[in-house]
Amino acid sequence: MTGWVFIATLLAEILLGASLIVTLCYPPLRIWPPPKRNSWQYFFTWGLTLGSWAGILTLGVLDWNRFVLGHWVRLPLGIAFIAASLVLVLWAVKTLGLKASQGLGGILVQEGPYRITRNPQYVADIVMLGGCAVLANSIYVWISCGVGMAWFVLAPFTEEPWLHDQLGPDYDHYRERVPRFVSFRGMDRTV
């Protein structure tokens, strides 16, 4: 059963990745962000996303602690990553709003976590996947989480042209000031 869940999870993630490639190569057939809530693109993306997350959780249970990180320290470390990511994603969704968080448009938000990174929800998802991989200690989960992380790294490249079209020059100025993910610029300044 573990093998089938792994294949289904990878298939969902590969289809999600292919949707980004289609969007990048042929923008008129934009899959992410979806054009509207009741579109096939919306159901395609969110269905596969929920399916891949469910697959990762199932793999974590079915193949628990069968990889190389047998030390107990992985438990508090994985839990800490997951907890930190939950705090960040909830803060980001509260700041941006649920509609915009689903890729359905909105206004330009430059406060809260969006002062630090243009994509705090993606950063949180990457950290959460890392926490799941550490916690589960499963080769299947490590691979699935790695493929899932790749989607969150690539997704902003499909969103940025769309955001430019939606928000105009204000977004371009924001993009110049705030990094795509995380930057430590300015942290090394002396007083």
Side-chain angles (χ1 to χ4, degrees), residues 93-164:
V93 169
K94 184 178 183 335
T95 303
L96 187 62
L98 187 58
K99 179 182 172 193
S101 294
Q102 294 174 351
L104 298 172
I107 62 170
L108 178 61
V109 173
Q110 302 178 56
E111 56 209 29
Y114 292 90
R115 289 175 298 155
I116 303 161
T117 172
R118 295 193 314 261
N119 297 288
Q121 294 180 50
Y122 292 163
V123 170
D125 289 331
I126 290 167
V127 171
M128 182 174 290
L129 287 169
C132 288
V134 168
L135 186 63
N137 188 32
S138 159
I139 186 65
Y140 297 114
V141 174
W142 274 96
I143 293 169
S144 299
C145 286
V147 174
M149 287 177 187
W151 191 92
F152 291 110
V153 169
L154 294 175
F157 293 96
T158 65
E159 291 178 352
E160 289 170 355
W162 176 77
L163 287 167
H164 167 77

Side-chain angles (χ1 to χ4, degrees), residues 71-114:
H71 198 276
W72 66 269
V73 79
R74 82 174 205 287
L75 299 173
L77 186 62
I79 291 168
F81 282 175
I82 293 168
S85 71
L86 285 173
V87 168
L88 179 57
V89 81
L90 291 173
W91 182 27
V93 169
K94 184 178 183 335
T95 303
L96 187 62
L98 187 58
K99 179 182 172 193
S101 294
Q102 294 174 351
L104 298 172
I107 62 170
L108 178 61
V109 173
Q110 302 178 56
E111 56 209 29
Y114 292 90

